[in-house]
């Protein structure tokens, strides 16, 4: 730049709000007499040369956004969860949060099934359950858990009891940790919510049954989310809502309809 770089950055820093920790890069022309190290010595975070390389600019912006977003979003604080992969697999944040909620709601019962089948020596059904875990973990971006489940699925298909005996405890430990961590995402939202009244609950089930008949994913999901976001549910209804969510993710409209109708019987 034409002005002194040291005084320029002092002015820039002074004009920034205290909470703004953004980085400052300088745009250098081809004929610049100063070196990149000299600019960095003045306090700039880096430089870009003209003409600007779009990929280099994208890398800088991506790094800046990641630093701003991750501390604010508890999703990014869960060890072993690849949020970008989960979002890509589910197509949207809403769908991703629904998948995480289902994982949270089902992990304890499914872990107990795997444990019970392992203890009883029923390796055929053990392998089926591990296969299901492999898929559900992959969908949410729990790649290490999914990969271990895949190895144990292969071991089950090959009747490799040494591998199954060695790694099943590790699998269940990872599954439990992931379920608890994901559960913490929803814990604060679900405290101090009033118990849903029967009129609201009945209307919700009737609406879901009607929307299932229309095969309308968005409307069924809207009803599920509006009830669970505003109210707490008794155990039977919480379990039924969980089953409806699972059926909805599979686009199993008959199951959605029958679960919703079961409330009226």
């Amino acid at each position: 730049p034409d002005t002194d770089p040291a005084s320029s950055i002092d002015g820039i820093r002074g004009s920034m709000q205290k909470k703004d920790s953004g980085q400052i890069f300088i745009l250098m022309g081809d004929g610049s007499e100063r070196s990149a190290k000299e600019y960095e010595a003045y306090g700039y975070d880096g430089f870009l040369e003209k003409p600007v390389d779009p990929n280099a600019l994208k890398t800088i912006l991506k790094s800046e956004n990641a630093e701003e977003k991750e501390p604010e979003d508890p999703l990014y604080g869960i060890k072993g969860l690849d949020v970008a992969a989960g979002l890509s697999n589910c197509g949207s944040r809403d769908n991703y949060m629904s998948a995480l909620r289902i994982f949270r709601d089902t992990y304890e019962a499914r872990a107990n099934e795997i444990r019970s089948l392992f203890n009883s020596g029923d390796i055929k059904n053990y392998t089926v359950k591990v296969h299901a875990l492999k898929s559900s973990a992959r969908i949410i971006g729990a790649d290490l858990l999914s990969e271990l489940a895949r190895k144990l699925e292969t071991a089950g298909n090959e009747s490799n009891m040494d591998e199954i005996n060695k790694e099943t405890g590790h699998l269940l430990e990872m599954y439990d940790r992931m379920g608890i961590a994901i559960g913490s995402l929803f814990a604060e939202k679900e405290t101090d919510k009033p118990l849903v009244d029967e009129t609201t609950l009945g209307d919700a089930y009737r609406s879901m049954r009607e929307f299932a008949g229309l095969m309308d994913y968005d409307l069924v999901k809207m009803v599920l989310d509006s009830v669970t976001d505003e109210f707490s549910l008794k155990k039977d209804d919480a379990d039924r809502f969980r089953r409806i969510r699972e059926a909805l993710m599979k686009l199993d409209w008959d199951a959605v309809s029958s679960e919703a109708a079961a409330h009226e019987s």
Side-chain angles (χ1 to χ4, degrees), residues 99-114:
L100 289 174
R101 186 181 280 111
I102 290 172
F103 191 93
R104 183 278 313 265
D105 289 344
T106 60
Y107 87 90
E108 191 170 2
R110 290 183 175 177
N112 286 336
E113 287 178 340
I114 292 172

Side-chain angles (χ1 to χ4, degrees), residues 20 84 110 120 159:
D20 189 345
R110 290 183 175 177
S120 67
S159 299

Side-chain angles (χ1 to χ4, degrees), residues 101-137:
R101 186 181 280 111
I102 290 172
F103 191 93
R104 183 278 313 265
D105 289 344
T106 60
Y107 87 90
E108 191 170 2
R110 290 183 175 177
N112 286 336
E113 287 178 340
I114 292 172
R115 184 179 292 105
S116 176
L117 291 167
F118 169 73
N119 289 336
S120 67
D122 187 349
I123 301 306
K124 179 179 179 180
N125 286 311
Y126 165 94
T127 304
V128 171
K129 297 299 181 182
V130 169
H131 168 80
L133 172 56
K134 176 193 71 174
S135 300
S136 62

Side-chain angles (χ1 to χ4, degrees), residues 25-76:
F25 285 77
I26 194 162
L27 188 63
M28 297 171 57
D30 290 336
S32 174
E33 297 179 358
R34 294 188 174 94
S35 69
K37 287 185 178 180
E38 185 177 354
Y39 280 122
E40 290 174 0
Y42 287 127
Y44 293 91
D45 295 291
F47 73 96
L48 290 170
E49 290 185 347
K50 296 179 182 178
V52 175
D53 179 353
N55 291 326
L57 181 59
K58 186 183 296 184
T59 298
I60 291 171
L61 293 175
K62 185 176 181 181
S63 173
E64 182 87 1
N65 288 337
E67 289 177 5
E68 292 176 358
K69 179 172 62 174
E70 292 185 14
E72 299 173 0
D73 193 333
L75 270 176
Y76 291 85

